[in-house]
Structure formats: structure tokens, C-alpha cells
Amino acid sequence: MKFSPSELMLMAMAEGDKARLHAPPNPWVGALVVNDRGVIVGEGHTQAPGESHAEIEALRRAGAAARGATMVVTLEPCCHVGRTGPCANAIIEAGIARVVVATIDPDSRVAGKGVELLKASGVDVEVGVEGDAVRAQLAPYIWQRVTGRPYVVAKIASTIDGVVAMADGSSQWITGPDARRDAHVLRAQSQAIVVGAGTVRSDDPSLTARLDDIVIEPLRVVLGRAPEGAKVRPCLELSGDLGFVLDELGDHDVLQVLIEGGPTTTSAFFDAGLVNHVVWYQAPAFAGASGTLAALKGLSTPTMDALRRGRLMDVRRIGDDIRIDVEV
């Protein structure tokens, strides 16, 4: 049975997901090589920086079967020499007859040039299959390439009535172990984590991503000064305008930054209009008057016209808690 172009692109996206943790600052791309009978003869995803891209991995697995076949790839093949050679040239040399691309690469070194090179060499190219889905999958990469700043994800864990700490300041643990493990995956998907100096003083977090026996250390960023001996050291200490902070992180090749600070830090990013995405973990617990810290302390919303509305992307149960994803 032959798969439709959309079905094949969804498979390529699943292949790209395998590269989500190790590919940055490169995009986590997936690629398939499909022969004229509809059989997948090669598949691949982006390797670690400096190693091969998804297209090269798929071509290597396809071998001679690539000649006359179709390549399905989530992002436009590159056409410039970086840490690796240009994928578009490799596709042409392998004899691929047709390339199906989900979306154009916004990187100024590519930005349509890869498609133009393929077409000029006689390769049939189709662009746009499952484009919206792939752009959502690669949102941090696309945002950083277009704006120069990282994609900002705010993570909040609260009771169902929006409280993140009790009257005595305690907050560990509002959510259960499954939600906390999911939050570590979110850390691992981020190249930097931002907290305020107050959070470092009160909680002394390590800000590492712990996935079973694997420990991943994103760039740890403290707004202000971290005390000597804090677990986040070594860290990058920044202060001043939050836009400057994001510019600095963009210069460090950070594609996604996770805001894990307290309500004051999170609200500051909201107030500045700098949050792209919210991941909100809610526990089926009620703090009521015993909870003194609202998740977005200090966020000013005086009228309905000032209400900040987002777009609901996903709601799912994780253990005894729920995770809500909102695009801002």
C-alpha cells in the first residue's frame, strides 16, 4: 500500500523528533527516501552539530535505491557549506528524482536557495505538505532564525486554583513525579534556563535535566547575581532589559529558553510581551487563602480589553496532574 504525501511527511516528522534533544542549534529534521513502489528505502534524522544532516542519513541508508526515488524532508535542504556539506548537492548527486518539502528554511543562507538549486538541476520539487505541522514542530528554530532571539517557553507548576507556593514559602512538591519528569524533558529540549536571583537564593535549584541515568546541562542563566556556592554555578549572570537578555542568548545559539523563575520573573517576561509559549502543570489540589503566591504575581490586567489571550495547543493528563500548552 502506498502512503500519501501527508502520511509520509508525518513519518518524517516522527523521525525528526528523534533529534529534538541533540540537534540544536541545528533544526531537528527528518527525511525519508521512497521508491516508485511507495516503499521507504531510507530514513534519517539530524545528527549532533558537525555531523550529518537528515538528508544525508536517509541517502546513506537508501544507497543505490535512491536513484530515481522521492525524498520527503521536513525542512528545505541546505545549499551552503557549514560544518557539513550542502544537502541539496548530495540529493542531486544521488539521483533523487523528486523532493517533497514541508517548509522553506528561514536561515538567510538557505531561504529558498536550496529549492531553486534542486529545480535548476532537474529535480521535481513540491513545497508545503504538512507545512503548518512542521512549522509548529520547528517553532523554536524558525523563531530564532527570523528574530535572532530564542523562543521563550514559560513553565508554571501550580495548584488548580493557580497557587505556586504556600504561605510559608514551600512549593515542593505541588505536582507529582510524572509531571516533574515531563518538566525535565522540557528542560532537556531547551538550550538555556532562566531564573531570578531570588529563586536561586530561596530554592538553590541545580537546573539540570535528569532523564533516567542521563544528566543534561543547559546554559543556566540568572537574572541578577547568584550567591557563591549556588548549585547553578557556573552560570551566565545577566541583568537589565529582558530584550537584551534574549539578544545575548540568541548570540549564544540558544533556540529555546525555558523561564523557570518565580512569579515575579515569569510576570516580567509576560509584561514585556516576550513569552511565546506557556507550559502549565496543574495539580488537582486547592490552596485557597493558604496560598500566597499566584503563578503570575504582579501581572497587570485592569480591564477585559487588557486580558492576555493565547491559543490552546494541547491539554493532556500526566499521572495525576494535567499539562496545558498555550501559544501566546
Side-chain angles (χ1 to χ4, degrees):
M1 180 183 72
K2 285 190 174 182
F3 297 103
S4 70
S6 287
E7 290 172 325
L8 289 169
M9 189 60 74
L10 292 175
M11 293 180 196
M13 288 179 65
E15 188 69 22
D17 275 337
K18 298 175 184 178
R20 182 65 177 88
L21 300 186
H22 65 251
N26 293 329
W28 36 103
V29 176
L32 309 176
V33 177
V34 186
N35 67 18
D36 57 5
R37 298 188 305 279
V39 177
I40 297 171
V41 295
E43 56 190 10
H45 55 268
T46 309
Q47 301 301 296
E51 299 180 16
S52 54
H53 291 182
E55 299 94 324
I56 305 304
E57 289 289 304
L59 290 173
R60 181 175 62 81
R61 289 177 171 81
R67 189 158 297 279
T70 295
M71 174 170 282
V72 179
V73 60
T74 56
L75 188 67
E76 176 185 16
C78 64
C79 55
H80 64 283
V81 177
R83 284 174 286 197
T84 61
C87 291
N89 292 71
I91 291 169
I92 295 165
E93 291 167 5
I96 290 287
R98 185 167 184 262
V99 176
V100 179
V101 179
T103 190
I104 296 297
D105 189 340
D107 190 306
S108 60
R109 297 169 296 179
V110 190
K113 301 182 187 72
V115 165
E116 291 173 4
L117 177 58
L118 292 171
K119 288 180 176 179
S121 300
V123 179
D124 181 31
V125 181
E126 179 181 0
V127 178
V129 174
E130 293 295 333
D132 288 343
V134 169
R135 283 188 289 274
Q137 182 187 43
L138 296 176
Y141 168 78
I142 292 171
W143 179 265
Q144 197 270 349
R145 287 299 187 271
V146 171
T147 68
R149 292 178 172 179
Y151 186 83
V152 177
V153 178
K155 190 211 87 175
I156 298 169
S158 76
T159 62
I160 204 165
D161 54 348
V163 171
V164 297
M166 301 302 101
D168 64 357
S170 60
S171 61
Q172 296 180 340
W173 297 99
I174 288 176
T175 55
D178 292 332
R180 295 200 299 273
R181 189 186 188 285
D182 188 76
H184 277 272
V185 174
L186 188 60
R187 283 183 177 182
Q189 292 173 341
S190 305
Q191 294 74 57
I193 301 176
V194 171
V195 296
T199 294
V200 176
R201 287 191 296 269
S202 62
D203 296 345
D204 195 20
S206 60
L207 302 184
T208 58
R210 299 178 292 281
L211 305 177
D212 298 324
D213 295 331
I214 301 172
V215 178
I216 299 172
E217 297 192 14
L219 175 64
R220 287 163 289 193
V221 182
V222 175
L223 301 181
R225 299 286 295 179
E228 293 297 329
K231 292 178 183 176
V232 296
R233 292 194 174 277
C235 64
L236 179 63
E237 296 173 317
L238 298 173
S239 60
D241 180 75
L242 294 180
F244 162 77
V245 170
L246 295 182
D247 289 337
E248 183 76 11
L249 296 181
D251 290 342
H252 279 77
D253 286 331
V254 173
L255 301 185
Q256 176 171 298
V257 58
L258 183 63
I259 309 303
E260 277 211 54
T264 300
T265 297
T266 303
S267 295
F269 276 91
F270 264 98
D271 266 337
L274 296 174
V275 176
N276 298 95
H277 192 104
V278 178
V279 176
W280 198 312
Y281 299 97
Q282 287 192 333
F286 305 87
S290 296
T292 59
L293 286 179
L296 294 174
K297 178 185 178 183
L299 191 63
S300 177
T301 310
T303 66
M304 285 298 295
D305 289 340
L307 194 65
R308 294 162 173 82
R309 296 189 183 273
R311 186 162 69 100
L312 189 63
M313 304 298 290
D314 188 32
V315 179
R316 64 182 184 271
R317 181 170 177 168
I318 301 179
D320 292 329
D321 307 308
I322 59 173
R323 169 175 165 163
I324 304 171
D325 282 69
V326 177
E327 185 181 76
V328 181

